[in-house]
Amino acid sequence: MDKIKKEEYKLALIAYLAAAALLFMTLYFPLAAFAVPIILIYAIVKCGWYLGGTAALLSFITFLLFDFGTACVLAAAFLPVIFAVSFVLREKKRFRDSIMISCASVIAGIAMAVGVLGLITGMSVIDYAVESLGNSLRMFDDVYIKTFYTTMRTADIAMGSITKAAVDATPAAQAIIIIQDMLRQMLNLALVNIIIIYSLITGFLYYIITRAVLKKRKAEVVDIPPFSRWALPGRFWLAYILSYIFAAIGASYAWPSFEILELTIYNVYAFVFIIQGLSLLDYLYKTRKMSTGPRIVLHIAGGLILGGIIVWVGIFENVAGIRKRLEARKAV
């Protein structure tokens, strides 16, 4: 066995052990699970589909011995993104395609995980989340529950829909039920929106982080254009307008779930257009020779304070191609 092959076997073994350990840690520290795909993607890219893929599958199979249900849900959620991001990195797909595939794989993984969760528990993801929250709160004493409940009702108290005295008088057991109802209402309205935006962010991060690790390890990776050059596909704005009009028509006729669809379409597209708008602003900042630090501060402040305006900046850029026009003027 040559030296390179030995190193690949060693790396695959280390990746398997690290991923299995992190999966076990999720029983006590759930956020540890998010590091698992990075380790296994790196192993697949460096060691190949056979060794890296085997390490990935074995890590989840090993976790089955400790917690069958959690292992099945995490495998359904993470294996699609692990193999999808590994594919785009190994095949050196261009940046835009890589991000689209990565984000789509996260959505697919979540859909599979929700299905597996339903098969195992017999509950919808919303019912499971609400029940889990209730069970978690019941582990605490009444003082903590009442404090948490008061925090949850702060906005209602400020708006006058309930008095502070009424909140303070609510028994702990009743407070838990009310908190569960609040969570259920929020998830019914925003679950799809949360899933899509989470998928966009997570798919992007898994690609960017793993690519950065690979590049640091001297692996050949595709170049990422500077943020000022990021651009949505042409006529992306048209897809937004048509889908939003369709949802708005359905909502106006009170078709089932179309109000939620309308809200989801607006929020998801708004998130994407904010990124487009910030990219245009970054281009304009760079033309004025502004350094990286101030640009980052302006992007964060702009996104938080002027997000609604920046959405329209992003739409206008997608419609008019402002950067292309400015570049054309410079070339004349």
Side-chain angles (χ1 to χ4, degrees):
M1 187 181 299
D2 57 49
K3 183 178 179 181
I4 295 178
K5 207 63 179 177
K6 286 182 179 179
E7 289 297 321
E8 289 179 354
Y9 274 99
K10 181 181 177 181
L11 177 58
L13 177 61
I14 292 172
Y16 155 69
L17 293 173
L22 284 170
L23 287 169
F24 178 76
M25 286 176 59
T26 60
L27 297 175
Y28 309 97
F29 184 62
L31 291 178
F34 291 97
V36 172
I38 296 173
I39 293 171
L40 296 175
I41 293 167
Y42 179 82
I44 292 173
V45 175
K46 295 289 288 184
C47 303
W49 289 111
Y50 176 74
L51 285 178
T54 300
L57 294 174
L58 284 178
S59 62
F60 287 99
I61 291 172
T62 301
F63 188 45
L64 287 171
L65 302 175
F66 297 95
D67 190 314
F68 179 83
T70 304
C72 289
V73 172
L74 290 180
F78 287 141
L79 285 177
V81 71
I82 288 170
F83 288 112
V85 178
S86 298
F87 168 75
V88 298
L89 286 168
R90 285 180 60 85
E91 297 299 318
K92 300 179 178 61
K93 298 293 183 180
R94 68 174 183 166
F95 176 65
R96 182 193 293 174
D97 294 342
S98 297
I99 296 301
M100 292 175 63
I101 292 171
S102 299
C103 294
S105 69
V106 177
I107 294 176
I110 292 174
M112 291 172 58
V114 168
V116 170
L117 180 67
L119 289 174
I120 294 174
T121 65
M123 303 169 67
S124 70
V125 64
I126 293 177
D127 290 338
Y128 181 81
V130 169
E131 188 65 24
S132 297
L133 175 63
N135 292 336
S136 297
L137 288 174
R138 292 184 186 95
M139 297 173 62
F140 296 97
D141 58 33
D142 288 358
V143 174
Y144 176 87
I145 295 170
K146 293 295 291 292
T147 302
F148 185 75
Y149 176 63
T150 301
T151 303
M152 294 291 293
R153 300 304 299 267
T154 299
D156 294 330
I157 294 171
M159 294 174 63
S161 57
I162 191 171
T163 64
K164 180 68 164 57
V167 171
D168 292 338
T170 305
Q174 182 65 23
I176 292 175
I177 294 174
I178 295 173
I179 292 170
Q180 287 180 295
D181 286 341
M182 293 172 68
L183 177 63
R184 186 184 302 278
Q185 291 174 17
M186 186 273 288
L187 291 178
N188 280 329
L189 286 173
L191 180 62
V192 176
N193 184 34
I194 292 170
I195 288 174
I196 295 176
I197 292 179
Y198 165 84
S199 299
L200 294 175
I201 295 173
T202 306
F204 173 80
L205 288 177
Y206 278 138
Y207 175 80
I208 291 294
I209 293 173
T210 312
R211 177 194 170 279
V213 174
L214 288 164
K215 186 176 181 180
K216 189 173 182 180
R217 296 289 181 177
K218 309 300 182 183
E220 184 180 349
V221 292
V222 173
D223 291 334
I224 294 178
F227 183 55
S228 59
R229 297 290 180 178
W230 290 13
L232 292 168
R235 298 185 180 178
F236 189 80
W237 60 272
L238 184 58
Y240 163 61
I241 290 176
L242 292 176
S243 58
Y244 186 78
I245 290 174
F246 172 70
I249 291 172
S252 67
Y253 284 99
W255 294 346
S257 302
F258 267 74
E259 286 187 3
I260 296 175
L261 177 62
E262 181 183 7
L263 179 64
T264 299
I265 288 174
Y266 174 79
N267 286 332
V268 172
Y269 275 97
F271 176 80
V272 176
F273 281 124
I274 284 177
I275 303 300
Q276 178 75 99
L278 291 175
S279 176
L280 170 61
L281 293 175
D282 194 64
Y283 173 84
L284 297 175
Y285 296 153
K286 289 177 76 172
T287 60
R288 295 182 175 275
K289 310 299 182 183
M290 190 178 293
S291 60
T292 303
R295 296 204 316 270
I296 292 174
V297 172
L298 286 173
H299 291 332
I300 294 173
L304 294 175
I305 300 171
L306 302 173
I309 297 174
I310 295 176
V311 167
W312 288 102
V313 173
I315 293 173
F316 188 64
E317 158 64 6
N318 190 233
V319 173
I322 298 172
R323 282 173 288 187
K324 290 182 179 179
R325 294 174 182 271
L326 291 174
E327 290 293 329
R329 287 183 182 180
K330 289 180 181 179
V332 174

